[in-house]
Amino acid sequence: MNLHNPLTDLPAANQLPTPAPAEAPGTPAQQAFREAVAQVEGLRQRLRDLQQEQAEARRRYWQQVGPAAQEVVRARQALFAPLEEALLLGYFSRLEEQQITALLVGNARALQNRFGEDAAEILRKYAPRRRADEDDNAPDEDAPAPAPEPFDPTLPPHEQAAAAARARRKTKQQKAEEAAAAQTRTQEQLLLSNTKTLYRQLARTHHPDLTQDEAIREQRTQLMQRITEAYETNDLYTLLQLLSESAPAAATDETLLLRYTQALHQQQLELKTQLNELKFGDNGFSGTTGKKREQEIRQLKRHLRAEAEYLHHVHRLIQDPSGLREVLRELAAEGHDTV
């Protein structure tokens, strides 16, 4: 006799067909907005993960390289005082004084460009300035004031100083273009951060008083509690998610969704740019890993130690005018104007 056993005769759960997920309801504008919200949140999470990863890599990197780099910085900074004193002695010829000035400027630029140290005072005193540079850097009354470049507070001080130095070297046209772009970004960010506008939009759609159906009224009451809590805690992402789930009730609402979608698309581009800069920029730490990174660090430390030793040797020589003259001759013979 064959008896039916439901425990053994039914197919396994992993063999049952799974229904295809239904498409999200809503207008095309609403679907585009929902997708933009999800993409922005995904990019933000990727950026947070990469920032944490690189912060740890940066910490390990400077833990190994930092002491040697700081020794080079101290050795270069020590050259300024004897070189400036030499210009006051009246001992050197005019050509040699020009060489000393070039040595001061070159040393300051090395500190600024390679190590991010602030050497603006030396450059203001000794670096030659062309009239065109002065015109480029002159303030333009008609141009809006450029927003200061935001510095990542987690970066080492020398990297923040390097970013500040790059900002100072920007031309007037670059500053004007960046100011216009910053103004556009500010307007978009204001739109995205305006929780009051989002709250009003959602309240117009989901307020319980707008329906006579008791079941729908109860659902809307619970939903309005979520909306109000998100608004009171300034939870922008929850408000955006709730807005993406609600269908526009009027043409004006559809237009507002399109504006939000456009702002979110711009935010996606900015987040992708930040990701690329972290991965492939000058200060990125994702280019190499493992043994290759360790080899690069060992080689860099050897170069920095050798540079520090040479700078200490130069510092001893330039304490005496005759020794400084000898250094100038050696640099000129090798075709260099700085160490």
Side-chain angles (χ1 to χ4, degrees), residues 46-317:
R46 286 171 55 193
L47 185 62
R48 286 191 292 266
D49 293 343
L50 185 59
Q51 286 172 339
Q52 292 177 358
E53 174 188 332
Q54 295 211 347
E56 178 61 22
R58 191 184 303 276
R59 185 192 64 78
R60 293 195 304 268
Y61 178 84
W62 285 109
Q63 188 177 25
Q64 298 178 68
V65 177
Q70 287 297 329
E71 183 62 26
V72 172
V73 167
R74 287 191 290 268
R76 285 193 173 276
Q77 289 173 336
L79 298 180
F80 288 135
L83 290 174
E84 289 191 282
E85 291 174 3
L87 291 175
L88 303 176
L89 295 177
Y91 175 84
F92 297 95
S93 67
R94 186 172 181 178
L95 178 60
E96 288 172 333
E97 289 181 351
Q98 291 176 353
Q99 288 180 282
I100 295 172
T101 300
L103 187 56
L104 280 164
V105 171
N107 192 49
R109 285 178 174 158
L111 281 169
Q112 179 175 275
N113 298 336
R114 291 179 54 204
F115 301 99
E117 294 295 319
D118 187 3
E121 183 179 355
I122 293 293
L123 294 174
R124 278 196 300 268
K125 290 170 65 175
Y126 300 105
R129 288 180 60 84
R130 297 183 293 109
R131 182 65 185 173
D133 292 337
E134 295 175 358
D135 293 341
D136 284 342
N137 294 325
D140 188 350
E141 297 180 357
D142 297 332
E149 181 176 343
F151 303 134
D152 186 350
T154 63
L155 295 179
H158 60 277
E159 294 189 19
Q160 296 185 40
R166 289 193 297 271
R168 286 195 297 269
R169 291 196 296 272
K170 292 173 182 174
T171 65
K172 181 175 67 176
Q173 181 180 0
Q174 288 174 322
K175 291 178 180 178
E177 292 174 353
E178 290 182 359
Q183 186 176 8
T184 301
R185 287 196 300 270
T186 300
Q187 293 174 352
E188 293 170 345
Q189 292 302 322
L190 285 175
L191 174 65
L192 290 177
S193 63
N194 193 348
T195 55
K196 180 179 257 186
T197 300
L198 279 169
Y199 175 76
R200 289 175 176 174
Q201 171 76 11
L202 290 166
R204 283 197 301 266
T205 305
H206 300 293
H207 202 282
D209 295 342
L210 298 178
T211 181
Q212 302 298 325
D213 189 303
E214 287 300 325
I216 297 178
R217 181 190 291 269
E218 184 178 353
Q219 293 176 358
R220 289 191 174 188
T221 299
Q222 296 176 358
L223 183 57
M224 275 303 301
Q225 289 178 354
R226 291 180 58 197
I227 294 171
T228 304
E229 288 175 2
Y231 173 65
E232 291 176 349
T233 58
N234 201 32
D235 187 353
L236 174 66
Y237 181 66
T238 296
L239 290 174
L240 285 172
Q241 286 283 47
L242 292 171
L243 182 62
S244 71
E245 296 168 3
S246 63
T252 55
D253 297 340
E254 187 99 353
T255 302
L256 184 61
L257 274 184
L258 292 174
R259 288 181 59 201
Y260 276 117
T261 303
Q262 184 177 3
L264 289 168
H265 284 164
Q266 180 61 37
Q267 197 171 59
Q268 290 176 35
L269 294 176
E270 294 175 3
L271 289 170
K272 289 177 181 178
T273 300
Q274 293 179 43
L275 283 168
N276 287 333
E277 287 177 352
L278 278 179
K279 289 180 179 179
F280 310 113
D282 294 336
N283 293 324
F285 280 76
S286 295
T288 56
T289 56
K291 292 184 178 180
K292 187 174 181 181
R293 168 65 68 182
E294 295 300 323
Q295 291 174 357
E296 291 176 353
I297 290 176
R298 286 196 296 270
Q299 184 178 12
L300 179 57
K301 288 169 67 175
R302 285 196 296 269
H303 290 170
L304 289 171
R305 284 194 293 265
E307 182 177 356
E309 291 177 4
Y310 175 65
L311 290 169
H312 289 314
H313 172 68
V314 170
H315 183 262
R316 289 192 295 269
L317 289 177

